[in-house]
Amino acid sequence: MMPLYIDSSNMETPDEPLTVNTPEIRQSAVPWHPSLETSTMENLNKQKETVFSLVQVKGTWKRKAGQNVKQGMKGRVSAAKIYESTSSSGTTWTVVTPITFTYTVIQTKNLLDPSNDTLLLGHIRDTEQLEAVRSSTKPLKRFIVMDEVVYNLYGSQVTDYLKARHVLYRILPLPTTEENKSMEMALKILEEVHQFGIDRRTEPIIAIGGGVCLDIVGLAASLYRRRTPYIRVPTTLLSYIDASVGAKTGVNFANCKNKLGTYIAPVAAFLDRSFIQTIPRRHISNGLAEMLKMALMKHRGLFELLESQGQFLLDSKFQSAQVLEDDCIDPASVSTRVAIETMLEELAPNLWEDDLDRLVDFGHLISPELEMVSLLLRQHILLFSKGWVGS
């Protein structure tokens, strides 16, 4: 397993990105794969085996014998390997291909201010590509899905922003509630995307809403042309510190929560706390409960901050820039930053959930079933807190 790189310096500074790289490379004499039983692995190891590296020359990939082909040789060398084994019954090829998801989480302010280009360009990490886009005369094109409640609150601001930036756009407001979290909703999004037409690599779909909206749009994007980039803009506290920073997408199926889904991270998540000021007070409580869960699991400092400032954070809806006299910190900024950092610490090394013993899912043993049964009382974290007892 290659080392994980997380750069989380100065996250409390607006527009300071947190970039997560999650390489997944498994190698052994014959590389292990979940589908290979122990006996099969032992038999393969006894067989005659050749390791091939892959080199691209003039647009064509060729295999070269050897585990470590020098990068300095002519052509581009892939990190992938092909292991070829022969036996009396035939030949077996085992392919080991590293899969790397790189996504950026950015805390920002005034996301919908036309002078702030984060919403349109914040996902681009390559400086040359960024300059090329900025200098191009071709208008940008974006397909945006918004929760319909969020659209009623911020739709005009989003429209004004896109017009001011001369963007060709389509905004699709949808009732992204737990009752509507279905494959039918995802397919509706895909139909609209297909009609609008986007470039599969350079024109990411943007999701603006709570966790349900982010999950549905993420699934639709992961299905469209097998993987279209998408961006998450959370508008609730819970999605701000949870759904927006992970890689899971999904919809409900057969009366089961998130039964259909994928592990495809967004290219970026843009976090602006100003959206939180318009959500109901009890939704703030839901987000605080999720933060408390992470604090109980692994961060004493966060627990103590919530203990002393929780009421203030609830009353101010995380909007105040008040600085605490003793420590010179803003509780809203610090608590959300630490909550995101602790969440990413658990998610990044286990993005595909190979390890099912997941700290971030504490309380999830029975709570999803309760949540599906109790859709009329569907406050996500309050139900999950009941699941803690079951865990």
Side-chain angles (χ1 to χ4, degrees):
M1 185 76 69
M2 291 184 65
L4 170 71
Y5 169 71
I6 300 179
D7 177 13
S8 59
S9 59
N10 301 317
M11 273 193 62
E12 61 208 280
T13 304
D15 289 318
E16 187 70 24
L18 173 64
T19 300
V20 182
N21 293 322
T22 57
E24 179 78 359
I25 303 178
R26 301 182 176 116
Q27 294 179 348
S28 59
V30 172
W32 177 87
H33 188 276
S35 64
L36 296 179
E37 299 291 344
T38 302
S39 58
T40 304
M41 291 295 297
E42 291 174 351
N43 290 336
L44 286 174
N45 280 319
K46 293 177 182 178
Q47 297 167 357
K48 180 181 179 181
E49 178 188 85
T50 305
V51 181
F52 294 95
S53 296
L54 297 160
V55 182
Q56 187 183 43
V57 180
K58 295 182 179 180
T60 300
W61 289 98
K62 299 289 186 181
R63 64 182 195 172
K64 301 289 184 180
Q67 176 77 34
N68 299 309
V69 175
K70 294 182 179 179
Q71 292 286 341
M73 71 176 299
K74 185 178 180 181
R76 183 160 66 99
V77 179
S78 171
K81 296 288 187 291
I82 296 177
Y83 295 77
E84 182 179 291
S85 301
T86 58
S87 67
S88 58
S89 59
T91 304
T92 298
W93 296 270
T94 301
V95 178
V96 177
T97 301
I99 302 172
T100 301
F101 284 148
T102 300
Y103 62 103
T104 302
V105 179
I106 297 179
Q107 287 186 314
T108 185
K109 295 180 179 179
N110 305 315
L111 184 65
L112 299 181
D113 185 329
S115 64
N116 185 346
D117 63 8
T118 300
L119 184 62
L120 299 175
L121 305 178
H123 65 288
I124 302 176
R125 290 177 292 274
D126 184 89
T127 55
E128 291 185 4
Q129 181 186 359
L130 183 60
E131 288 305 315
V133 172
R134 283 176 170 162
S135 61
S136 174
T137 57
K138 180 183 177 181
L140 296 175
K141 193 175 184 181
R142 292 293 185 270
F143 186 91
I144 301 172
V145 180
M146 297 184 69
D147 174 83
E148 63 179 12
V149 175
V150 176
Y151 178 78
N152 292 335
L153 293 169
Y154 298 101
S156 59
Q157 286 182 251
V158 174
T159 299
D160 291 343
Y161 175 91
L162 297 171
K163 287 181 177 179
R165 305 285 306 192
H166 308 291
V167 178
L168 300 177
Y169 68 92
R170 165 83 164 96
I171 299 177
L172 178 63
L174 290 174
T176 54
T177 62
E178 197 68 46
E179 296 92 335
N180 298 322
K181 191 178 184 183
S182 63
M183 184 57 75
E184 288 75 20
M185 180 74 78
L187 291 174
K188 179 177 176 60
I189 294 170
L190 292 172
E191 288 282 356
E192 296 286 347
V193 170
H194 178 67
Q195 292 298 322
F196 180 69
I198 58 174
D199 185 279
R200 67 185 298 189
R201 290 293 175 260
T202 63
E203 295 171 349
I205 299 171
I206 301 175
I208 304 178
V212 173
C213 178
L214 305 186
D215 281 356
I216 299 173
V217 175
L219 177 61
S222 71
L223 295 174
Y224 190 66
R225 305 194 71 175
R226 296 185 178 89
R227 182 171 62 89
T228 295
Y230 70 101
I231 289 169
R232 286 173 167 166
V233 180
T235 57
T236 65
L237 178 59
L238 181 55
S239 60
Y240 186 103
I241 52 98
D242 185 2
S244 66
V245 300
K248 291 194 288 189
T249 75
V251 295
N252 302 333
F253 176 73
N255 293 321
C256 297
K257 186 172 176 62
N258 295 326
K259 198 69 169 182
L260 304 178
T262 61
Y263 295 101
I264 300 292
V267 290
F270 303 140
L271 315 182
D272 185 341
R273 276 190 286 117
S274 67
F275 287 114
I276 300 173
Q277 65 187 312
T278 54
I279 65 174
R281 182 182 176 90
R282 65 178 184 174
H283 288 293
I284 303 291
S285 297
N286 290 346
L288 278 167
E290 178 69 20
M291 296 171 71
L292 177 61
K293 180 186 78 173
M294 295 304 296
L296 287 168
M297 292 294 95
K298 58 178 297 180
H299 204 291
R300 179 174 180 173
L302 178 59
F303 179 86
E304 292 174 347
L305 181 59
L306 294 177
E307 184 178 35
S308 63
Q309 298 298 316
Q311 187 65 51
F312 168 75
L313 292 170
L314 178 62
D315 294 339
S316 65
K317 293 189 173 183
F318 285 76
Q319 299 308 302
S320 175
Q322 171 184 314
V323 175
L324 302 182
E325 294 180 0
D326 293 340
D327 300 314
C328 297
I329 60 172
D330 167 21
S333 176
V334 173
S335 62
T336 52
R337 175 179 59 80
V338 174
I340 290 169
E341 287 177 344
T342 56
M343 186 68 74
L344 285 174
E345 286 173 350
E346 297 298 321
L347 293 176
N350 191 29
L351 207 60
W352 289 270
E353 296 188 344
D354 292 323
D355 182 1
L356 295 179
D357 186 14
R358 305 183 300 277
L359 192 65
V360 294
D361 286 346
F362 182 63
H364 287 221
L365 181 63
I366 63 172
S367 50
E369 286 72 19
L370 286 173
E371 192 167 2
M372 293 304 296
V373 171
S374 309
L375 281 178
L376 294 179
L377 301 173
R378 63 185 186 281
Q379 297 308 303
H380 174 87
I381 289 303
L382 295 184
L383 284 173
F384 272 22
S385 65
K386 294 180 181 179
W388 295 357
V389 177
S391 296

